[in-house]
Amino acid sequence: SVASAQTKLLRFPDIHGDQVVFSYAGDLWLAPADGGTATRLTSHSGLELFPKFSPDGRWIAFTGQYDGDEQVYVIPATGGIPEQLTYYPARGPLAPRWGYDNQVYGWTPDGSAVLFRSLRGDGWDLTDSRLYTVAREGGFPAALPMPVSGAGDLSPDARQAVYSFPFRDFRAWKRHEGGWAQNLYIFDLATNDAQQITDHPRADRDPMWIGDMIYFTSDRDGTLNLYSYDPAEGATAQLTRNATWDVRWPSSDNEGRIVYELNGELVIYGVEDSSTTSISINVPTDGVAMRPSRISAADNIEDFELSPKGERALFVARGDIFTAPIEHGPTRNLTRSTGAHDRLARWSPDGTKIAFVSDMTGEEELYLINQDGSGAPEQLTSGSEGRLYAPAWSPDGENIAYADKEGRIYVLDVESKRVQEIANEAQGQSTDYTWSPNGGYLAFTLGDPSGFSSVYVYSMAEGRLHRVTAEYFNEFTPAWGPEGNYLFYMADRALAPQIGSFEWNYVVDRETYIFALALRDDVPHPFPQRSDEVTIDGEDDGEDESESDGENGDEPIAIDFDGLAQRVMRVPIGAGNYGGLAAVEGNLLYFRGTPFYYGRGSGQTPALLIYSMEDREESTLVEGFGGAALSFDGKKILIGQGGGYKLYDVKPNASGTNVSTSGLMVDRVPAEEWNQIFDEVWRRFRDYFYVENMHGYDWEGLREQYRPWLQHVAHRSDLNYVIGEMISELNTSHTYISGGDYEVPARPRFALLGASFELDEGSGRYRIARIYEGDNAEDRYRSPFTEVGVDVSAGDYILAVDGEQLQAPDNPYRILRGKAGQQ
């Protein structure tokens, strides 16, 4: 029989008798096996996952986050207080693609212990997990003899185990045929013999042992379906043939029924008659994670800027646009759009308007809003498709330059809303476009076939694109001098490779110089030769008044393009790891980054530097920063620093003023946010997937296939699952989703003893199986036993470790030791 479930996204189900248990919105629920209304079993803020009935149906084991990390718990099947069975610190927090530590898979056939997979012990890589059992009453877990294992189940006589390897059950990657495709094995727990029982190029996973047969899922026909394997005959048979939806997280009652998730609903498969029965279940959740609320967005700032004269800061946080005072006054949320992602906000030069990008129509477009928050946003563009990049106002406020993900650079006439494409970056995106004083020209870089980039200038009056630099060097980050005399840019020209000491290879560091182009023939050299001369009374020692200024009132500056590339001068500072160039009155601003070292930090601190054109001296404006925003008048700069924001005057040795972000509050409606996130992820893949045909899949059709699940999302983990299932249809690696709001307890921090222990049941003591004292792949931890002068070795019995002494600075461990049989 087929029935429609009233609630979807019922996950990790199990079945016993006339009941099913499952996880929904991070909690455990119990429901009749023939459908109906579910009853809540847990209500903790953390996740409760992977519930499994004991063979007698009295208990439910599961993985829970009650104390912050993932441990094995049991509760009565009728509900009650969870009992914790495991205590070894769980690895994590892990990205969703790695699953969860201490994942419960079931019980031993006699119901005396819980079977679970853990990353504890000697395993280092996240695939080095093993199957363990822990007694129903608790105690020291015992590892099954397989050195590594994914999902598994025990035979009815508990003499054998069937398991999958490697573990990749949470990887959002359907129809994989590479080295991460799991196979199934039968392991004899007495002889330690392993027998591989599947060898298909695609994944075979989720093994279950019922009677004399093994059941599992495989996507060998395109979607995960149920299969059986007969150990006596060595024969495999396909049991279900779902073409659209995967059979997810099957679990058996070890007698004759398998329950699994299909299209978010629960389905029961009857082993004897090959029947499939969908269950209609209503989950009466109180939707705690779905409740609208007012929350701070201070930890979700993605972009910031300054007003033209630096009186207020502009923040983009959690999809809304805010202005905040430097010292006094209210913080204003200008957009209040919990269902849209508003971003890349930029203040108009006259201070009246703010331009920004938003996806409120379903695609990204440019909008305009009053800086005081009055009125509704005005849409400036329409018909865009694809991600847009930051708007840049012309100094006169009449035009806005912006770009899209196809590399096209546009100029928008703000009044008429006319859009003109002025350039196209064929090899990616160009986002360093910048307006000349008075707005007559736009400078930016475009890529060359060599992979380098070159500087170009677009003339608004001519409607023409001028190439400024040749293709021989990598040039980037153009910046106009405020007087209209020079165009500055950076170029990688300091190529002094160093040969490694033990490998014949080259490393290049500090390759960037800063250069200046004189825009006209009559522009003087910015760094003329200096000479100390005698000052004679009566002579004018001021500047030569004949030197030209590129600006002429409100008219565009003048540029002599003939011979422009030859009028180039290097700014007299050494090469470095530079970026983020800007020119203000009398000074250059730029970032000094750090060299790249694979696998470790550089040990150096990035800095924002200021260079005096007159004094020809470089000074540090601020060290240790996380981005900067310069005011339009060039006199103030906002710095992300130390987890906060400070406003500085643009001059050496300036002191900063802290800018508060405490007023960045949003009215969050989770369901609206989740719908927006779903659509934006879909667009990101549409826009940036490495092949345009999306591996031949109907990407729009897949969005509509998974969109109905959104109405059943009641927790951020549900949303990540929905998105992960959608993107996994593309059948490609490293396309994962993670993060989001999880209201879970703080994760505990532990100190371990640097040794592996095992329980000696004869003496009732813990014996050291292995001591870790090195830093190599085999011994990764320094043992505190050695640090406190305690001579121990493998085979010694540790009676106790005095926890009260753990924090004592002069004796962090007091260890009581004894041999077997001693008191």
Side-chain angles (χ1 to χ4, degrees), residues 664-701:
L664 272 59
M665 304 296 292
V666 299
D667 294 317
R668 173 179 180 255
V669 182
E672 294 181 7
E673 282 193 348
W674 295 338
N675 278 269
Q676 187 280 328
I677 293 169
F678 176 86
D679 284 329
E680 182 166 0
V681 170
W682 182 88
R683 291 198 311 269
R684 293 282 187 96
F685 275 83
R686 178 200 65 186
D687 293 347
Y688 296 104
F689 201 65
Y690 76 106
V691 287
E692 292 184 3
N693 73 344
M694 307 301 288
H695 276 180
Y697 295 102
D698 179 1
W699 190 230
E700 291 191 6

mmCIF file of all heavy atoms in Angstrom, residues 664-701:
data_model
loop_
_atom_site.group_PDB
_atom_site.id
_atom_site.type_symbol
_atom_site.label_atom_id
_atom_site.label_comp_id
_atom_site.label_asym_id
_atom_site.label_seq_id
_atom_site.Cartn_x
_atom_site.Cartn_y
_atom_site.Cartn_z
ATOM 1 N N LEU A 664 23.917 45.846 15.458
ATOM 2 C CA LEU A 664 23.583 45.113 14.227
ATOM 3 C C LEU A 664 22.619 43.973 14.564
ATOM 4 O O LEU A 664 23.014 42.829 14.774
ATOM 5 C CB LEU A 664 24.851 44.567 13.564
ATOM 6 C CG LEU A 664 25.580 45.492 12.586
ATOM 7 C CD1 LEU A 664 26.000 46.780 13.272
ATOM 8 C CD2 LEU A 664 26.785 44.792 11.984
ATOM 9 N N MET A 665 21.338 44.279 14.603
ATOM 10 C CA MET A 665 20.314 43.293 14.961
ATOM 11 C C MET A 665 19.424 43.014 13.748
ATOM 12 O O MET A 665 19.067 43.925 12.995
ATOM 13 C CB MET A 665 19.457 43.813 16.115
ATOM 14 C CG MET A 665 20.245 44.203 17.362
ATOM 15 S SD MET A 665 21.100 42.801 18.127
ATOM 16 C CE MET A 665 19.695 41.840 18.718
ATOM 17 N N VAL A 666 19.091 41.744 13.566
ATOM 18 C CA VAL A 666 18.195 41.358 12.474
ATOM 19 C C VAL A 666 16.983 40.639 13.043
ATOM 20 O O VAL A 666 17.060 39.967 14.071
ATOM 21 C CB VAL A 666 18.900 40.446 11.443
ATOM 22 C CG1 VAL A 666 20.075 41.153 10.812
ATOM 23 C CG2 VAL A 666 19.352 39.144 12.080
ATOM 24 N N ASP A 667 15.869 40.806 12.366
ATOM 25 C CA ASP A 667 14.660 40.064 12.698
ATOM 26 C C ASP A 667 14.651 38.803 11.842
ATOM 27 O O ASP A 667 14.232 38.817 10.684
ATOM 28 C CB ASP A 667 13.414 40.921 12.441
ATOM 29 C CG ASP A 667 13.351 42.112 13.367
ATOM 30 O OD1 ASP A 667 13.625 41.939 14.566
ATOM 31 O OD2 ASP A 667 13.051 43.221 12.898
ATOM 32 N N ARG A 668 15.132 37.732 12.428
ATOM 33 C CA ARG A 668 15.378 36.496 11.689
ATOM 34 C C ARG A 668 14.117 35.651 11.614
ATOM 35 O O ARG A 668 13.469 35.392 12.618
ATOM 36 C CB ARG A 668 16.491 35.707 12.376
ATOM 37 C CG ARG A 668 16.742 34.325 11.799
ATOM 38 C CD ARG A 668 17.885 33.644 12.542
ATOM 39 N NE ARG A 668 18.131 32.322 11.990
ATOM 40 C CZ ARG A 668 17.779 31.188 12.589
ATOM 41 N NH1 ARG A 668 17.167 31.223 13.753
ATOM 42 N NH2 ARG A 668 18.043 30.029 12.026
ATOM 43 N N VAL A 669 13.771 35.224 10.403
ATOM 44 C CA VAL A 669 12.697 34.249 10.178
ATOM 45 C C VAL A 669 13.363 33.034 9.538
ATOM 46 O O VAL A 669 13.666 33.049 8.341
ATOM 47 C CB VAL A 669 11.590 34.813 9.277
ATOM 48 C CG1 VAL A 669 10.477 33.782 9.099
ATOM 49 C CG2 VAL A 669 11.038 36.105 9.846
ATOM 50 N N PRO A 670 13.660 31.990 10.306
ATOM 51 C CA PRO A 670 14.467 30.880 9.785
ATOM 52 C C PRO A 670 13.959 30.301 8.472
ATOM 53 O O PRO A 670 14.760 30.042 7.565
ATOM 54 C CB PRO A 670 14.412 29.861 10.919
ATOM 55 C CG PRO A 670 14.258 30.683 12.152
ATOM 56 C CD PRO A 670 13.360 31.813 11.738
ATOM 57 N N ALA A 671 12.644 30.086 8.353
ATOM 58 C CA ALA A 671 12.132 29.473 7.121
ATOM 59 C C ALA A 671 12.449 30.321 5.904
ATOM 60 O O ALA A 671 12.777 29.794 4.826
ATOM 61 C CB ALA A 671 10.633 29.240 7.239
ATOM 62 N N GLU A 672 12.382 31.649 6.044
ATOM 63 C CA GLU A 672 12.704 32.523 4.924
ATOM 64 C C GLU A 672 14.198 32.482 4.622
ATOM 65 O O GLU A 672 14.601 32.485 3.452
ATOM 66 C CB GLU A 672 12.251 33.953 5.229
ATOM 67 C CG GLU A 672 10.734 34.102 5.331
ATOM 68 C CD GLU A 672 10.311 35.535 5.601
ATOM 69 O OE1 GLU A 672 11.188 36.434 5.569
ATOM 70 O OE2 GLU A 672 9.110 35.769 5.844
ATOM 71 N N GLU A 673 15.018 32.473 5.650
ATOM 72 C CA GLU A 673 16.459 32.351 5.436
ATOM 73 C C GLU A 673 16.794 31.035 4.737
ATOM 74 O O GLU A 673 17.623 31.000 3.810
ATOM 75 C CB GLU A 673 17.204 32.419 6.772
ATOM 76 C CG GLU A 673 17.363 33.806 7.337
ATOM 77 C CD GLU A 673 18.354 33.852 8.480
ATOM 78 O OE1 GLU A 673 18.746 32.784 8.989
ATOM 79 O OE2 GLU A 673 18.753 34.958 8.873
ATOM 80 N N TRP A 674 16.184 29.949 5.175
ATOM 81 C CA TRP A 674 16.498 28.635 4.616
ATOM 82 C C TRP A 674 16.117 28.561 3.139
ATOM 83 O O TRP A 674 16.856 27.975 2.337
ATOM 84 C CB TRP A 674 15.796 27.560 5.423
ATOM 85 C CG TRP A 674 16.298 27.459 6.837
ATOM 86 C CD1 TRP A 674 17.506 27.886 7.298
ATOM 87 C CD2 TRP A 674 15.615 26.928 7.964
ATOM 88 N NE1 TRP A 674 17.616 27.638 8.639
ATOM 89 C CE2 TRP A 674 16.476 27.055 9.078
ATOM 90 C CE3 TRP A 674 14.358 26.354 8.155
ATOM 91 C CZ2 TRP A 674 16.116 26.619 10.352
ATOM 92 C CZ3 TRP A 674 13.996 25.919 9.418
ATOM 93 C CH2 TRP A 674 14.859 26.051 10.507
ATOM 94 N N ASN A 675 14.989 29.148 2.766
ATOM 95 C CA ASN A 675 14.609 29.162 1.352
ATOM 96 C C ASN A 675 15.610 29.971 0.528
ATOM 97 O O ASN A 675 15.978 29.576 -0.582
ATOM 98 C CB ASN A 675 13.200 29.738 1.186
ATOM 99 C CG ASN A 675 12.119 28.709 1.456
ATOM 100 O OD1 ASN A 675 11.669 28.015 0.561
ATOM 101 N ND2 ASN A 675 11.701 28.609 2.710
ATOM 102 N N GLN A 676 16.044 31.102 1.074
ATOM 103 C CA GLN A 676 17.019 31.922 0.356
ATOM 104 C C GLN A 676 18.342 31.177 0.198
ATOM 105 O O GLN A 676 18.958 31.199 -0.882
ATOM 106 C CB GLN A 676 17.245 33.240 1.102
ATOM 107 C CG GLN A 676 18.116 34.244 0.365
ATOM 108 C CD GLN A 676 19.597 33.972 0.485
ATOM 109 O OE1 GLN A 676 20.065 33.465 1.507
ATOM 110 N NE2 GLN A 676 20.346 34.288 -0.559
ATOM 111 N N ILE A 677 18.796 30.521 1.251
ATOM 112 C CA ILE A 677 20.060 29.779 1.196
ATOM 113 C C ILE A 677 19.980 28.677 0.146
ATOM 114 O O ILE A 677 20.912 28.475 -0.642
ATOM 115 C CB ILE A 677 20.399 29.203 2.579
ATOM 116 C CG1 ILE A 677 20.710 30.336 3.563
ATOM 117 C CG2 ILE A 677 21.572 28.228 2.497
ATOM 118 C CD1 ILE A 677 20.797 29.890 5.007
ATOM 119 N N PHE A 678 18.866 27.968 0.122
ATOM 120 C CA PHE A 678 18.670 26.903 -0.869
ATOM 121 C C PHE A 678 18.811 27.454 -2.282
ATOM 122 O O PHE A 678 19.540 26.903 -3.127
ATOM 123 C CB PHE A 678 17.291 26.274 -0.666
ATOM 124 C CG PHE A 678 16.916 25.232 -1.689
ATOM 125 C CD1 PHE A 678 17.295 23.907 -1.530
ATOM 126 C CD2 PHE A 678 16.174 25.581 -2.806
ATOM 127 C CE1 PHE A 678 16.938 22.948 -2.474
ATOM 128 C CE2 PHE A 678 15.811 24.632 -3.754
ATOM 129 C CZ PHE A 678 16.196 23.313 -3.580
ATOM 130 N N ASP A 679 18.134 28.567 -2.560
ATOM 131 C CA ASP A 679 18.176 29.135 -3.905
ATOM 132 C C ASP A 679 19.562 29.687 -4.237
ATOM 133 O O ASP A 679 20.035 29.564 -5.374
ATOM 134 C CB ASP A 679 17.134 30.246 -4.044
ATOM 135 C CG ASP A 679 15.725 29.699 -4.198
ATOM 136 O OD1 ASP A 679 15.573 28.609 -4.763
ATOM 137 O OD2 ASP A 679 14.774 30.359 -3.738
ATOM 138 N N GLU A 680 20.225 30.291 -3.267
ATOM 139 C CA GLU A 680 21.542 30.852 -3.556
ATOM 140 C C GLU A 680 22.561 29.758 -3.824
ATOM 141 O O GLU A 680 23.406 29.892 -4.716
ATOM 142 C CB GLU A 680 22.017 31.755 -2.421
ATOM 143 C CG GLU A 680 23.359 32.395 -2.731
ATOM 144 C CD GLU A 680 23.724 33.536 -1.810
ATOM 145 O OE1 GLU A 680 22.934 33.858 -0.899
ATOM 146 O OE2 GLU A 680 24.808 34.118 -2.006
ATOM 147 N N VAL A 681 22.507 28.682 -3.062
ATOM 148 C CA VAL A 681 23.422 27.566 -3.331
ATOM 149 C C VAL A 681 23.179 27.025 -4.740
ATOM 150 O O VAL A 681 24.123 26.746 -5.492
ATOM 151 C CB VAL A 681 23.257 26.451 -2.283
ATOM 152 C CG1 VAL A 681 24.013 25.198 -2.701
ATOM 153 C CG2 VAL A 681 23.734 26.934 -0.923
ATOM 154 N N TRP A 682 21.903 26.878 -5.101
ATOM 155 C CA TRP A 682 21.581 26.398 -6.453
ATOM 156 C C TRP A 682 22.177 27.336 -7.502
ATOM 157 O O TRP A 682 22.760 26.887 -8.486
ATOM 158 C CB TRP A 682 20.069 26.299 -6.607
ATOM 159 C CG TRP A 682 19.646 25.771 -7.949
ATOM 160 C CD1 TRP A 682 19.468 24.475 -8.315
ATOM 161 C CD2 TRP A 682 19.367 26.557 -9.124
ATOM 162 N NE1 TRP A 682 19.093 24.387 -9.634
ATOM 163 C CE2 TRP A 682 19.025 25.640 -10.153
ATOM 164 C CE3 TRP A 682 19.372 27.913 -9.405
ATOM 165 C CZ2 TRP A 682 18.686 26.070 -11.439
ATOM 166 C CZ3 TRP A 682 19.045 28.340 -10.688
ATOM 167 C CH2 TRP A 682 18.709 27.423 -11.686
ATOM 168 N N ARG A 683 22.038 28.651 -7.300
ATOM 169 C CA ARG A 683 22.591 29.606 -8.265
ATOM 170 C C ARG A 683 24.101 29.553 -8.311
ATOM 171 O O ARG A 683 24.703 29.678 -9.389
ATOM 172 C CB ARG A 683 22.144 31.040 -7.926
ATOM 173 C CG ARG A 683 20.676 31.326 -8.132
ATOM 174 C CD ARG A 683 20.424 32.831 -8.195
ATOM 175 N NE ARG A 683 21.048 33.554 -7.100
ATOM 176 C CZ ARG A 683 20.456 33.811 -5.940
ATOM 177 N NH1 ARG A 683 19.226 33.390 -5.717
ATOM 178 N NH2 ARG A 683 21.093 34.479 -4.997
ATOM 179 N N ARG A 684 24.746 29.389 -7.156
ATOM 180 C CA ARG A 684 26.210 29.324 -7.141
ATOM 181 C C ARG A 684 26.700 28.162 -8.007
ATOM 182 O O ARG A 684 27.678 28.295 -8.738
ATOM 183 C CB ARG A 684 26.714 29.166 -5.717
ATOM 184 C CG ARG A 684 26.468 30.350 -4.817
ATOM 185 C CD ARG A 684 27.448 31.490 -5.039
ATOM 186 N NE ARG A 684 27.276 32.523 -4.035
ATOM 187 C CZ ARG A 684 27.992 32.609 -2.932
ATOM 188 N NH1 ARG A 684 28.930 31.711 -2.696
ATOM 189 N NH2 ARG A 684 27.789 33.578 -2.064
ATOM 190 N N PHE A 685 26.041 27.021 -7.895
ATOM 191 C CA PHE A 685 26.449 25.885 -8.717
ATOM 192 C C PHE A 685 26.139 26.154 -10.191
ATOM 193 O O PHE A 685 26.943 25.826 -11.068
ATOM 194 C CB PHE A 685 25.775 24.610 -8.231
ATOM 195 C CG PHE A 685 26.523 23.942 -7.116
ATOM 196 C CD1 PHE A 685 26.358 24.346 -5.807
ATOM 197 C CD2 PHE A 685 27.410 22.916 -7.372
ATOM 198 C CE1 PHE A 685 27.063 23.754 -4.773
ATOM 199 C CE2 PHE A 685 28.117 22.309 -6.358
ATOM 200 C CZ PHE A 685 27.945 22.730 -5.051
ATOM 201 N N ARG A 686 25.000 26.716 -10.476
ATOM 202 C CA ARG A 686 24.686 27.071 -11.864
ATOM 203 C C ARG A 686 25.729 28.011 -12.443
ATOM 204 O O ARG A 686 26.162 27.857 -13.593
ATOM 205 C CB ARG A 686 23.309 27.740 -11.922
ATOM 206 C CG ARG A 686 22.898 28.198 -13.323
ATOM 207 C CD ARG A 686 21.805 29.255 -13.258
ATOM 208 N NE ARG A 686 22.255 30.494 -12.618
ATOM 209 C CZ ARG A 686 21.468 31.518 -12.338
ATOM 210 N NH1 ARG A 686 20.174 31.455 -12.633
ATOM 211 N NH2 ARG A 686 21.958 32.608 -11.759
ATOM 212 N N ASP A 687 26.172 28.979 -11.644
ATOM 213 C CA ASP A 687 27.077 30.009 -12.148
ATOM 214 C C ASP A 687 28.527 29.556 -12.226
ATOM 215 O O ASP A 687 29.274 30.036 -13.082
ATOM 216 C CB ASP A 687 26.995 31.251 -11.260
ATOM 217 C CG ASP A 687 25.636 31.944 -11.337
ATOM 218 O OD1 ASP A 687 24.868 31.605 -12.259
ATOM 219 O OD2 ASP A 687 25.360 32.798 -10.481
ATOM 220 N N TYR A 688 28.952 28.657 -11.335
ATOM 221 C CA TYR A 688 30.378 28.377 -11.226
ATOM 222 C C TYR A 688 30.766 26.919 -11.426
ATOM 223 O O TYR A 688 31.944 26.590 -11.300
ATOM 224 C CB TYR A 688 30.889 28.837 -9.858
ATOM 225 C CG TYR A 688 30.794 30.321 -9.663
ATOM 226 C CD1 TYR A 688 29.792 30.875 -8.866
ATOM 227 C CD2 TYR A 688 31.690 31.178 -10.282
ATOM 228 C CE1 TYR A 688 29.697 32.235 -8.689
ATOM 229 C CE2 TYR A 688 31.600 32.554 -10.114
ATOM 230 C CZ TYR A 688 30.604 33.073 -9.315
ATOM 231 O OH TYR A 688 30.506 34.429 -9.149
ATOM 232 N N PHE A 689 29.822 26.043 -11.733
ATOM 233 C CA PHE A 689 30.203 24.663 -11.980
ATOM 234 C C PHE A 689 31.181 24.617 -13.148
ATOM 235 O O PHE A 689 31.046 25.372 -14.115
ATOM 236 C CB PHE A 689 28.967 23.810 -12.266
ATOM 237 C CG PHE A 689 29.189 22.339 -12.051
ATOM 238 C CD1 PHE A 689 29.464 21.848 -10.793
ATOM 239 C CD2 PHE A 689 29.110 21.448 -13.110
ATOM 240 C CE1 PHE A 689 29.655 20.491 -10.583
ATOM 241 C CE2 PHE A 689 29.301 20.095 -12.914
ATOM 242 C CZ PHE A 689 29.575 19.609 -11.647
ATOM 243 N N TYR A 690 32.133 23.717 -13.063
ATOM 244 C CA TYR A 690 33.271 23.793 -13.980
ATOM 245 C C TYR A 690 32.936 23.438 -15.430
ATOM 246 O O TYR A 690 33.720 23.726 -16.337
ATOM 247 C CB TYR A 690 34.410 22.904 -13.477
ATOM 248 C CG TYR A 690 34.210 21.420 -13.699
ATOM 249 C CD1 TYR A 690 34.923 20.752 -14.696
ATOM 250 C CD2 TYR A 690 33.318 20.691 -12.917
ATOM 251 C CE1 TYR A 690 34.752 19.395 -14.906
ATOM 252 C CE2 TYR A 690 33.142 19.351 -13.116
ATOM 253 C CZ TYR A 690 33.862 18.696 -14.105
ATOM 254 O OH TYR A 690 33.681 17.355 -14.306
ATOM 255 N N VAL A 691 31.781 22.819 -15.668
ATOM 256 C CA VAL A 691 31.311 22.596 -17.040
ATOM 257 C C VAL A 691 29.885 23.122 -17.148
ATOM 258 O O VAL A 691 29.073 22.953 -16.242
ATOM 259 C CB VAL A 691 31.361 21.100 -17.444
ATOM 260 C CG1 VAL A 691 32.786 20.652 -17.676
ATOM 261 C CG2 VAL A 691 30.684 20.215 -16.409
ATOM 262 N N GLU A 692 29.593 23.753 -18.271
ATOM 263 C CA GLU A 692 28.297 24.410 -18.409
ATOM 264 C C GLU A 692 27.137 23.424 -18.472
ATOM 265 O O GLU A 692 26.009 23.773 -18.110
ATOM 266 C CB GLU A 692 28.287 25.289 -19.665
ATOM 267 C CG GLU A 692 29.201 26.500 -19.577
ATOM 268 C CD GLU A 692 29.086 27.404 -20.791
ATOM 269 O OE1 GLU A 692 28.244 27.086 -21.670
ATOM 270 O OE2 GLU A 692 29.809 28.404 -20.868
ATOM 271 N N ASN A 693 27.383 22.199 -18.909
ATOM 272 C CA ASN A 693 26.267 21.261 -19.056
ATOM 273 C C ASN A 693 25.895 20.553 -17.758
ATOM 274 O O ASN A 693 25.040 19.660 -17.759
ATOM 275 C CB ASN A 693 26.576 20.224 -20.138
ATOM 276 C CG ASN A 693 27.612 19.201 -19.686
ATOM 277 O OD1 ASN A 693 28.328 19.406 -18.696
ATOM 278 N ND2 ASN A 693 27.699 18.104 -20.422
ATOM 279 N N MET A 694 26.527 20.972 -16.632
ATOM 280 C CA MET A 694 26.194 20.404 -15.310
ATOM 281 C C MET A 694 26.244 18.871 -15.335
ATOM 282 O O MET A 694 25.385 18.188 -14.789
ATOM 283 C CB MET A 694 24.814 20.884 -14.849
ATOM 284 C CG MET A 694 24.624 22.396 -14.876
ATOM 285 S SD MET A 694 25.789 23.326 -13.851
ATOM 286 C CE MET A 694 25.204 22.932 -12.210
ATOM 287 N N HIS A 695 27.259 18.351 -15.976
ATOM 288 C CA HIS A 695 27.444 16.896 -16.104
ATOM 289 C C HIS A 695 26.279 16.216 -16.818
ATOM 290 O O HIS A 695 26.048 15.021 -16.639
ATOM 291 C CB HIS A 695 27.665 16.248 -14.738
ATOM 292 C CG HIS A 695 29.078 16.315 -14.277
ATOM 293 N ND1 HIS A 695 29.497 15.787 -13.078
ATOM 294 C CD2 HIS A 695 30.200 16.848 -14.845
ATOM 295 C CE1 HIS A 695 30.798 15.991 -12.935
ATOM 296 N NE2 HIS A 695 31.241 16.639 -13.991
ATOM 297 N N GLY A 696 25.532 17.003 -17.591
ATOM 298 C CA GLY A 696 24.420 16.442 -18.336
ATOM 299 C C GLY A 696 23.122 16.357 -17.568
ATOM 300 O O GLY A 696 22.111 15.859 -18.100
ATOM 301 N N TYR A 697 23.086 16.869 -16.347
ATOM 302 C CA TYR A 697 21.874 16.794 -15.533
ATOM 303 C C TYR A 697 21.025 18.054 -15.706
ATOM 304 O O TYR A 697 21.543 19.137 -15.985
ATOM 305 C CB TYR A 697 22.231 16.611 -14.050
ATOM 306 C CG TYR A 697 22.917 15.301 -13.767
ATOM 307 C CD1 TYR A 697 24.300 15.233 -13.577
ATOM 308 C CD2 TYR A 697 22.192 14.109 -13.698
ATOM 309 C CE1 TYR A 697 24.932 14.032 -13.325
ATOM 310 C CE2 TYR A 697 22.824 12.908 -13.443
ATOM 311 C CZ TYR A 697 24.193 12.877 -13.265
ATOM 312 O OH TYR A 697 24.813 11.679 -13.023
ATOM 313 N N ASP A 698 19.742 17.899 -15.523
ATOM 314 C CA ASP A 698 18.796 19.009 -15.595
ATOM 315 C C ASP A 698 18.826 19.728 -14.255
ATOM 316 O O ASP A 698 18.110 19.363 -13.327
ATOM 317 C CB ASP A 698 17.393 18.476 -15.908
ATOM 318 C CG ASP A 698 16.352 19.593 -15.976
ATOM 319 O OD1 ASP A 698 16.714 20.781 -15.807
ATOM 320 O OD2 ASP A 698 15.167 19.270 -16.175
ATOM 321 N N TRP A 699 19.680 20.751 -14.152
ATOM 322 C CA TRP A 699 19.886 21.410 -12.868
ATOM 323 C C TRP A 699 18.624 22.146 -12.414
ATOM 324 O O TRP A 699 18.311 22.159 -11.221
ATOM 325 C CB TRP A 699 21.078 22.355 -12.977
ATOM 326 C CG TRP A 699 21.564 22.926 -11.683
ATOM 327 C CD1 TRP A 699 21.813 24.225 -11.413
ATOM 328 C CD2 TRP A 699 21.886 22.205 -10.476
ATOM 329 N NE1 TRP A 699 22.264 24.381 -10.123
ATOM 330 C CE2 TRP A 699 22.314 23.156 -9.525
ATOM 331 C CE3 TRP A 699 21.851 20.867 -10.113
ATOM 332 C CZ2 TRP A 699 22.703 22.802 -8.238
ATOM 333 C CZ3 TRP A 699 22.235 20.506 -8.829
ATOM 334 C CH2 TRP A 699 22.658 21.465 -7.898
ATOM 335 N N GLU A 700 17.902 22.749 -13.324
ATOM 336 C CA GLU A 700 16.644 23.394 -12.936
ATOM 337 C C GLU A 700 15.635 22.347 -12.475
ATOM 338 O O GLU A 700 14.890 22.555 -11.510
ATOM 339 C CB GLU A 700 16.088 24.210 -14.092
ATOM 340 C CG GLU A 700 16.911 25.441 -14.424
ATOM 341 C CD GLU A 700 16.190 26.364 -15.390
ATOM 342 O OE1 GLU A 700 15.016 26.087 -15.704
ATOM 343 O OE2 GLU A 700 16.807 27.356 -15.821
ATOM 344 N N GLY A 701 15.599 21.215 -13.153
ATOM 345 C CA GLY A 701 14.688 20.151 -12.743
ATOM 346 C C GLY A 701 15.029 19.598 -11.379
ATOM 347 O O GLY A 701 14.136 19.274 -10.582
#
